[in-house]
Amino acid sequence: MGKLFGLIGHPVGHSMSPFMHNDQFANLGIDGHYHAFDVHPKDLEAAIQGIRVLGISGFNITIPHKVNVIQYLDEVDEEAKQIGAVNTVVNKNGKLIGYNTDGKGFVVSLMQLAGDSVLHKKMLLVGAGGAARGIYITLARLGVQHIDIANRTVEKANELIASCSFPITSNALSIIEAEKNLFNYEIIINTTSVGMSPQTGMIPIDLKNMKAGTILSDIIYNPIETKWLKLGRSLGGVVQNGVGMFVGQGALAFELWTGQKPDFKGMEKIVRTQLGGN
Ligand code: ATR
């Protein structure tokens, strides 16, 4: 009998995960199917109970359930605990185990762009919300020595830094402070929603003090290239959009569910096609 996988979020109508995972099931000859379920926050507990009863083999969790789902799971792995959010659940013989593949998915895609040496570079994270948290904790856990965090609300950057139990040197900065000293960084990562459709005319941080050759990674993939990345490219930056992180988190989830490594490039291609890119 085939295995069922899925996504729980609200809304999920535009999710590309079903295309990406179902394509890999077909390519690898796995008898599985992935479906997106729109679950209102008030129904989350019932939905998780439904998953148990129906024996769904694994699922992803997206906005707004990544934090709240934790209370309904049987176990949460160490990294997801540190991040405080779960995006992937494995049903292991009836036991629901939570993981977080968002941060690692980002790191995998960054390494594909620039190699393992990225972990030795000086980084600036823009934003201090949920997405920033996953990336920051994962990078700190992997041994990155220096990551500063710039955020509109500096206090939130301070809180994120204080919550990290891994050894790392970090300063919380205002956006203006970071803009003045941008030449200090070799990698700048936008984790905010600034520039995302429909507000495509905004940029999260100005780049005029950036060194040419700096890696600019934007976790946004809609639009596929934000105004910020276009600006960065014109100033000599090496740019990366959010498709890589999205595919990275999906590929790691797929591996947790099936024990098989999916075709990263194939997944990337299908997502780009869905987004109308090439
Ligand atoms: P996510 O889980 O997607 O990271 P979030 O936790 O709401 O979402 O975090 C959103 C991030 O984008 C925050 O860093 C937020 O800044 P604040 O902490 O000051 O709210 C940032 N952000 C969102 N809209 C912004 C805007 N218009 N200008 C500057 N920063 C913005």
Side-chain angles (χ1 to χ4, degrees):
M1 200 170 67
K3 289 186 170 178
L4 194 58
F5 299 85
L7 166 70
I8 291 183
H10 181 69
V12 293
H14 295 291
S15 172
M16 289 169 301
S17 293
F19 300 103
M20 184 168 82
H21 288 292
N22 286 326
D23 186 57
Q24 287 304 307
F25 288 141
N27 288 350
L28 292 169
I30 296 172
D31 188 6
H33 183 77
Y34 186 106
H35 186 83
F37 298 97
D38 193 335
V39 173
H40 191 275
K42 72 173 173 22
D43 297 323
L44 181 61
E45 184 175 7
I48 302 300
Q49 188 55 18
I51 280 168
R52 289 181 190 277
V53 174
L54 298 173
I56 290 176
S57 302
F59 54 102
N60 285 130
I61 304 284
T62 191
I63 291 166
H65 305 313
K66 287 186 187 187
V67 176
N68 288 339
V69 74
I70 290 177
Q71 61 191 307
Y72 305 123
L73 303 177
D74 299 307
E75 264 178 43
V76 176
D77 100 320
E78 209 38 55
E79 185 167 15
K81 246 187 227 158
Q82 269 274 334
I83 294 169
V86 160
N87 81 320
T88 301
V89 176
V90 178
N91 185 346
K92 199 172 176 191
N93 305 320
K95 220 178 187 189
L96 299 185
I97 306 172
Y99 298 86
N100 191 309
T101 68
D102 286 329
K104 241 186 243 155
F106 174 80
V107 176
V108 166
S109 71
L110 191 62
M111 283 180 172
Q112 287 205 343
L113 175 79
D116 294 5
S117 67
V118 288
L119 296 181
H120 303 293
K121 299 204 190 290
K122 199 170 168 190
M123 304 191 192
L124 175 71
L125 214 58
V126 184
R133 190 171 175 80
I135 292 171
Y136 180 70
I137 300 285
T138 305
L139 287 169
R141 192 169 194 237
L142 289 170
V144 175
Q145 306 269 308
H146 193 121
I147 309 175
D148 288 343
I149 304 180
N151 196 40
R152 176 177 62 178
T153 314
V154 180
E155 192 42 38
K156 275 170 73 181
N158 267 315
E159 283 167 18
L160 176 48
I161 292 167
S163 74
C164 181
S165 64
F166 301 105
I168 185 164
T169 307
S170 295
N171 301 299
L173 307 169
S174 68
I175 300 288
I176 290 174
E177 280 171 315
E179 279 172 345
K180 276 190 204 142
N181 296 301
L182 221 56
F183 47 82
N184 277 334
Y185 303 101
E186 296 161 282
I187 302 182
I188 304 170
I189 303 157
N190 174 43
T191 70
T192 76
S193 50
V194 178
M196 193 193 298
S197 181
Q199 288 177 315
T200 54
M202 288 163 62
I203 59 169
I205 190 164
D206 190 44
L207 295 173
K208 65 174 177 294
N209 290 327
M210 176 194 91
K211 273 187 307 210
T214 301
I215 294 171
L216 299 174
S217 184
D218 196 333
I219 70 165
I220 295 171
Y221 51 79
N222 182 17
I224 208 156
E225 190 159 286
T226 55
K227 181 175 177 179
W228 187 66
L229 284 189
K230 285 198 173 95
L231 174 66
R233 187 195 292 283
S234 75
L235 294 172
V238 177
V239 307
Q240 177 178 50
N241 63 30
V243 172
M245 177 179 177
F246 176 73
V247 170
Q249 64 75 32
L252 292 167
F254 190 97
E255 206 175 328
L256 283 169
W257 295 327
T258 65
Q260 294 198 48
K261 267 196 196 307
D263 167 20
F264 192 99
K265 294 280 168 215
M267 289 169 101
E268 210 170 7
K269 192 165 173 219
I270 200 157
V271 171
R272 278 184 198 286
T273 308
Q274 285 299 320
L275 288 168
N278 46 38

